[in-house]
């Protein structure tokens, strides 16, 4: 049961949102920097083919394996990466389901197998997540935006050879009652939470015995739902409600009360940004904070001090120049043809949860962006890697890429409607903006990549997966980043 917030709950509308970009990275030797606005891949670079070379600054590629594309959200553990699956294309690859990539030698990553349980082949969307403490990998089946019933849990103690644990409970004959779009673990690994997207349905799956997962709580928290982050003690959830965050007290589930109630504690909303994606609870200077990203609407990444969760303090915001209101026309011009997603953050990760020194985010068509967050009052960008565009890729060569699949449709009506345009007017606007070769763009293209997955730190290396280019092992320049001495204790 979900208990509604009392009338005096901490529901907040933040009006003091900044509209400035973080300082640009200062690129060192060997960089191939963006020529214009921070985060922009211009229409000219897309049309000329320049974007096929990519852009990088203080963050270089060590190795790459493309496979059939990178799905939507992938996960990694130790030297392995697990490639999110996109239904139905993932089933038409030589190794269907969720791909296993070994990056033991990060300069020569290779596909070493795949996970083929029903949930893994049904498309994992944004549910493929690792619990490092218990060395478990889990996902739900999400064929298209919304999924129901199928759940798989793997033991990844040997990361290259995962073992399906709930073989009797994850297949076609044994679904369990839940719906999902997103998913993730409680920190202790005893609960997997499935959420979203509409209605705002949230389910707690007990994985204390991973051989026999079972639903122990469900509720409707709002009209829409998305990803989330959970406090280190497992008692509080920061749940995306698409236009902000809903804070839930999930301690009764964490304690395994016989008849748990989940209480609505607060909600945060702000005037910029859309489709809030997920949140990351951290501790900074002894205080609890939450980092949260909007995957649309140029809201960027926001950081809140949640010492008093019912009286939060807006602490910082990260935007690129391309996200600023004065550059809206430029962003629209640049992203036309690439389907729905342009230059917004999707998933982020810190280098450690206590006093993190760096934050890395997949910024959709702007690639991987890395920020110094040691001082929340002086956040700055230190590096980026925007992978080479995979122009010429098709559903036959990248059946597991959401970007390639979406590019068949071209520019969806929603993009025009969001600006108050009809399709006909939108096409005319594009012709006006990018000239006679606009038709090349309107038909749909892959003149940038879509980077959606969390970039995960491995010392001074980053493992990440993008939609078209697949898995990348990247290396941060020692000029801009030194791994914290205790980072290894957080790595999986």
């Amino acid at each position: 049961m979900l208990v509604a917030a009392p009338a005096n709950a901490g529901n907040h509308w933040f009006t003091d949102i900044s509209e400035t970009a973080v300082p640009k990275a200062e690129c060192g030797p060997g960089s191939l920097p963006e020529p214009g606005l921070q985060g922009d891949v211009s229409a000219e670079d897309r049309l000329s083919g320049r974007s096929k070379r990519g852009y990088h600054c203080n963050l270089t590629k060590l190795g790459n394996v493309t496979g059939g594309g990178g799905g939507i959200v992938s996960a990694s553990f130790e030297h392995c990466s697990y490639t999110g699956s996109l239904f139905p294309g993932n089933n038409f690859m030589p190794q269907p389901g969720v791909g296993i990539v070994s990056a033991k030698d990060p300069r020569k990553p290779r596909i070493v197998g795949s996970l083929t349980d029903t949930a893994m082949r049904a498309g994992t969307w944004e549910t493929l997540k690792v619990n490092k403490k218990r060395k478990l990998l889990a996902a739900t089946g999400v064929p298209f935006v919304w999924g129901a019933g199928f759940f798989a849990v793997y033991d990844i103690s040997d990361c290259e050879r995962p073992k399906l644990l709930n073989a009797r409970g994850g297949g076609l004959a044994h679904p369990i009652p839940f719906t999902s779009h997103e998913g993730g673990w409680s920190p202790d690994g005893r609960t997997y939470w499935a959420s979203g997207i509409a209605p705002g349905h949230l389910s707690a799956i007990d994985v204390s015995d991973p051989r026999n997962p079972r639903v122990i709580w469900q509720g409707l928290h709002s009209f829409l739902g998305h990803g989330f982050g959970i406090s280190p003690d497992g008692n509080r959830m920061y749940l995306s409600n698409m236009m902000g965050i809903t804070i839930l007290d999930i301690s009764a589930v964490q304690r395994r009360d016989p008849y748990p109630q989940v209480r609505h504690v607060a909600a945060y909303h702000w005037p910029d940004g859309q489709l809030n994606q997920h949140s990351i609870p951290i501790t900074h200077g002894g205080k609890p904070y939450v980092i949260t990203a909007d995957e649309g609407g140029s809201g960027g990444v926001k950081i809140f001090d949640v010492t008093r969760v019912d009286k939060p303090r807006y602490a910082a915001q990260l935007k690129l120049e391309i996200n600023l209101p004065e550059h809206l026309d430029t962003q629209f011009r640049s992203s036309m043809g690439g389907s729905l997603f342009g230059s917004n953050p999707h998933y982020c990760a810190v280098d450690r949860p206590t006093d993190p020194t760096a934050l890395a985010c997949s910024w959709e068509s702007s690639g991987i962006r890395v920020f110094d967050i040691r001082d929340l009052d002086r956040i700055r960008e230190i590096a980026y890697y925007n992978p080479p565009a995979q122009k010429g890729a098709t559903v036959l060569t990248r059946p597991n890429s959401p970007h390639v699949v979406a590019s068949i449709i071209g520019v969806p009506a929603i993009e025009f409607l969001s600006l108050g345009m009809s399709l006909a007017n939108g096409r005319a606007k594009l012709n006006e903006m990018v000239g006679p070769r606009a038709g090349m763009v309107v038909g749909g293209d892959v003149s940038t990549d879509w980077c959606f997955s969390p970039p995960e730190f491995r010392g001074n290396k980053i493992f990440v997966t993008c939609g078209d280019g697949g898995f990348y092992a990247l290396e941060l320049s020692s000029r801009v980043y030194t791994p914290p001495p205790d980072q290894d204790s957080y790595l999986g």
Side-chain angles (χ1 to χ4, degrees), residues 22 57 63 113 148-149 192 197 207 246 402 437 460:
V22 297
C57 172
Y192 182 95
I197 189 168
V207 197
T246 297
R437 290 199 291 173
N460 69 334

Side-chain angles (χ1 to χ4, degrees), residues 165-181:
L165 296 176
N166 64 321
R168 295 176 55 196
L172 284 171
H174 301 280
I176 56 179
F178 68 90
T179 62
S180 63
H181 171 90

Side-chain angles (χ1 to χ4, degrees), residues 370-383:
V370 186
F371 306 92
D372 182 333
I373 62 168
R374 288 174 295 177
D375 184 342
L376 297 183
D377 294 324
R378 293 178 176 82
I379 294 174
R380 60 190 179 89
E381 186 177 49
I382 58 173

Side-chain angles (χ1 to χ4, degrees), residues 131 139 203 288 313 319-320 382 402 442 472:
N131 182 268
S203 301
R313 181 179 67 85
K319 289 189 178 185
L320 307 180
I382 58 173
V442 171
Y472 290 91

